[in-house]
Every structure is written in C-alpha cells, then in structure tokens.
Amino acid sequence: MGCDCRSFETKAVHGNKPYDLVTGAISVPIYQCATFRHEGVGRSTGYDYSRVQNPTREELEKTLAILENGKECLAFTSGMAAISNLFTVFSPGDHIILSEDLYGGTYRVTEEIFNKYGLTSSYVDTSGLSSLIENIRKNTKAIFIETPSNPMMRITDLKAVVAIAKERNILTIVDNTFLSPYFQKPLDLGIDIVVHSGTKYLSGHNDTLSGFVILNDLTLAEKLRNIQKSIGACLPAFDSWLTLRGIKTLAIRLDRQQENAIKIAKWLKNHKNIEQVFYPGLEDHKGHEILKEQASGYGAMISFVVDSEETAKRILERVKIILFAESLGGVETLITYPEQQTHANIPENMRNRVGVTSKLLRISVGIENVDDLINDLKGALED
C-alpha cells in the first residue's frame, strides 16, 4: 500500500499502511499471537507462526524499508541480534574490516563469538581511506562502518568506501543508529546493508529493544530470513508496535535533539574544564564537510574530554536532570562513561588508541529545555 507522499515526516507517520484495512484502526493492531489458523490443507493466510512472520512486525519492517529506501527489512530482538544474524552469512576463513572506533558490543560479538567459528577481523580507522585499503585482504568479504562512530564521532566518506569495495566485490555495511534514516540514508550512497539498534532513535523512548537489517539484495534478504527463522531472534508484536509508535515522531524528536545538541556542544567547547568536544555539527570537526555532503543532519550525540578523571566522575555523580545511564537516542538526555560502560569489553590499548579514556564522557541529548540541560552541566562542573 504505502503512503502517496515524498516527505520523510509524512512517511514516518503513515508508514506502509496508514490504517488497518479490516477495521480502519489508525494504530496498527498488536497481533499478540504465536500461531495462525489455516483455512484448509495447502491454504494459508500468509501467516503461519509468529517466529516466521507476524502482521505487526511485518508492518514495521515495511515501514522502515520505506524510510531507508530499501527493498527488504528484517526486525530482530535487539541491535546486537541484528548484527549477529547478519554475521552468520559469512564462512570460516572470511575476513571483515570494522571501524576501530565502534560500539563495544559489536567488538565483543566479533571477537568472543564469531572468531571461534573462523571469522577473522581487523579494526581500522575507516575515516582514513589509505589505512582501509592497506587492510584489505584476498579473503575480505565485508567492511563494517560506524559513521558517526561511537563514541569519537569519526566520519567515514561512504561514497569513497563504496567505490573501493565495489572494485573488490566486498559487501559494505553501515550501522546507521546514530543518525537514523531521517538524517542519513546509506543505501542511497551505494552501501549494501544498513543495520540499526532500533532501541535508540527509532523507538525513541527507552522502553523497548529492537534491531534491524535493511538491504536491497533480495537473494541475501531471503538467506537472512531463513537464518532469522532458524535462530529465532525475531521481534515480538508488542515491541514492534512500540517501535512503530516511536517512528511516528522520529523527525520532530531529532530536530529538537539536534537543536539542543548544537547549543550544548558550543557551550562545552568554551568551558575551561573541557579539553575537547567531538560533535560533527561543529565547523571545526574533522568530518564536518564530509557529513554535510552525505547526510542532512549532524545528530544529537556528543562526546567530550574533561581535564581529569576526577572531573569526569564529579559530573556523573552530580548531574540531576541529565541521567547517568547507558544507551542513547531517547527523549531523556543521558550521560555515559564509555570506558567503564559501553566500551569496557574493548582492550585498553585499543581504547587508548581511539581516545576512549577515563576523561571521556558521552552525552545523548534529549528533548528537554536546553537551558535546563546546560545549567545542569554547569552545576556539575563548577563548585
């Protein structure tokens, strides 16, 4: 069906089906059932068992495919479930290149699980194309990119990576969690596969877990659906409904969050206790111009380095409106200590190489009043 519109905002609100075709309900029903009745032998409604497919999950998958300009989307129980299912398409002896500045969970699943089954990996600064090319091997099958990266906000030139990969028949994968399809559409830039932790901006309210794989290759999509059906990490109906509800307000949330983030980043940059601010919306950010070319926004994630470990811990313990918690992308502003939380599984030497130290903090900016957020940081920083 799909909505007859061009704007992202309208597509996000109306999704694949703006109302239920049977009842007219404008909120997609939650099909909270495990199995479906067959009309007769060899006759199915198209739904047999919710692990294989569920109408609520199907609506979510089709909606996100529309928003990412992809042909197929698969919904999983978390972002890590999506990445894990995707990595099972590779074979023992295959090699993948990953952004060296990346979420600790992606590093953990690669090193502690898939390496045991013969998948080898290299961690590279994908924002530097020469280092990327140097690490490509004959058995390299994929390049996995975070851009902006987590937590150092490095920007990778996606069109340039696509050109390098296409010459060598290498799959390109982008984790688009930080920007969402509202600000960045990697498939339009030639990327093969997009993954999301839908727990973050897509859901937007810190109340559910979800993950997605979006792609245009229908053969690979069918292979992934068979893997998903076999492993069973399929997103339940209620979580699918929550994510659909969140997507309806994605555009207005991100507009407000980005507006707040720009003001907070500029304030942090001028504070005497802040040594560095990493936010791609700042004009002096190394990847600012590249991001302007391949995205329509900068997002609402900020990382910054304070003058000491003691200052970092004081901020974490003294903020009142900003919440000291893991995760990101919700309407509430969260502050995270990457060294001890999101990136604890990454070896210390690798953390130090990319800049994840005891002085680094990461903020996911929410939709609160920005003056309240700045005053909260000011009170935490200053005696």
Side-chain angles (χ1 to χ4, degrees):
M1 188 176 181
C3 86
D4 184 20
C5 55
R6 294 183 179 181
S7 67
F8 182 95
E9 295 88 341
T10 307
K11 290 177 181 177
V13 170
H14 290 278
N16 176 59
K17 291 187 296 186
Y19 54 87
D20 180 60
L21 298 179
V22 176
T23 66
I26 59 173
S27 177
V28 174
I30 304 170
Y31 286 88
Q32 193 64 45
C33 57
T35 191
F36 301 83
R37 174 184 174 271
H38 291 279
E39 296 177 348
V41 177
R43 288 187 290 154
S44 169
T45 60
Y47 305 99
D48 303 313
Y49 193 62
S50 276
R51 176 162 47 79
V52 180
Q53 191 53 286
N54 175 282
T56 314
R57 184 168 77 241
E58 183 179 65
E59 174 63 17
L60 172 59
E61 290 175 337
K62 290 184 176 181
T63 294
L64 196 51
I66 289 170
L67 298 182
E68 281 282 10
N69 292 337
K71 292 181 180 177
E72 285 286 335
C73 172
L74 293 84
F76 296 88
T77 49
S78 68
M80 287 314 305
I83 291 172
S84 298
N85 273 253
L86 176 58
F87 280 7
T88 62
V89 304
F90 301 113
S91 302
D94 286 349
H95 172 252
I96 61 172
I97 293 174
L98 301 96
S99 297
E100 66 175 359
D101 181 34
L102 82 171
Y103 172 52
T106 305
Y107 177 89
R108 182 176 61 243
V109 78
T110 304
E111 293 298 313
E112 297 183 12
I113 297 177
F114 285 98
N115 276 8
K116 293 193 302 184
Y117 298 103
L119 182 64
T120 59
S121 52
S122 298
Y123 299 90
V124 175
D125 180 3
T126 54
S127 66
L129 298 180
S130 58
S131 59
L132 174 62
I133 294 171
E134 289 169 4
N135 281 273
I136 293 175
R137 307 174 186 172
K138 291 183 179 179
N139 61 333
T140 301
K141 301 298 181 182
I143 301 170
F144 184 101
I145 301 164
E146 286 191 10
T147 183
S149 62
N150 183 7
M152 303 309 294
M153 309 300 158
R154 293 178 182 175
I155 305 300
T156 297
D157 186 334
L158 294 182
K159 287 185 178 179
V161 172
V162 166
I164 292 168
K166 295 296 184 188
E167 287 180 357
R168 298 162 175 82
N169 197 30
I170 297 173
L171 278 175
T172 49
I173 305 164
V174 167
D175 185 331
N176 201 29
T177 299
F178 271 23
L179 290 185
S180 89
Y182 181 53
F183 284 145
Q184 181 171 260
K185 295 182 177 63
L187 296 180
D188 287 357
L189 301 171
I191 293 295
D192 296 305
I193 302 169
V194 168
V195 298
H196 281 277
S197 172
T199 309
K200 313 305 193 294
Y201 287 104
L202 295 176
S203 296
H205 293 81
N206 290 315
D207 57 8
T208 188
L209 302 177
S210 62
F212 302 94
V213 174
I214 307 102
L215 66 169
N216 285 319
D217 185 330
L218 299 182
T219 301
L220 181 56
E222 185 60 32
K223 184 176 182 179
L224 283 167
R225 286 209 181 274
N226 187 56
I227 293 168
Q228 183 186 46
K229 175 177 68 175
S230 302
I231 293 177
C234 309
L235 191 64
F238 184 63
D239 299 274
S240 298
W241 181 83
L242 283 171
T243 306
L244 273 168
R245 185 178 65 167
I247 286 174
K248 290 178 183 291
T249 60
L250 175 61
I252 57 174
R253 283 188 284 107
L254 269 169
D255 281 341
R256 176 60 176 268
Q257 286 168 296
Q258 177 175 259
E259 178 186 334
N260 284 352
I262 291 171
K263 293 178 181 177
I264 291 171
K266 290 179 178 179
W267 181 86
L268 286 168
K269 190 177 177 183
N270 292 313
H271 196 281
K272 62 184 178 64
N273 296 115
I274 307 300
E275 294 182 350
Q276 281 183 288
V277 178
F278 303 98
Y279 178 64
L282 296 174
E283 291 185 1
D284 61 354
H285 187 280
K286 186 178 179 180
H288 178 77
E289 293 302 322
I290 294 173
L291 190 60
K292 281 176 64 176
E293 291 182 6
Q294 66 188 28
S296 59
Y298 309 110
M301 297 298 302
I302 304 170
S303 291
F304 60 100
V305 178
V306 296
D307 55 11
S308 68
E309 181 179 345
E310 291 70 29
T311 298
K313 291 180 177 178
R314 185 170 76 247
I315 293 170
L316 295 170
E317 291 173 358
R318 293 179 62 176
V319 287
K320 296 180 175 64
I321 297 172
I322 299 170
L323 304 174
F324 177 22
E326 294 189 41
S327 199
L328 60 102
V331 293
E332 303 89 358
T333 298
L334 305 181
I335 190 165
T336 301
Y337 203 18
E339 182 195 55
Q340 295 186 14
Q341 292 178 293
T342 55
H343 291 67
N345 290 106
I346 295 178
E348 184 178 4
N349 65 333
M350 185 172 169
R351 291 202 307 265
N352 289 336
R353 186 171 75 242
V354 301
V356 181
T357 69
S358 61
K359 299 190 330 182
L360 182 79
L361 296 173
R362 190 193 74 184
I363 293 183
S364 168
V365 181
I367 66 170
E368 302 97 335
N369 179 280
V370 71
D371 292 331
D372 289 340
L373 296 174
I374 289 174
N375 286 332
D376 196 28
L377 286 169
K378 183 177 181 181
L381 272 164
E382 301 171 5
D383 293 327

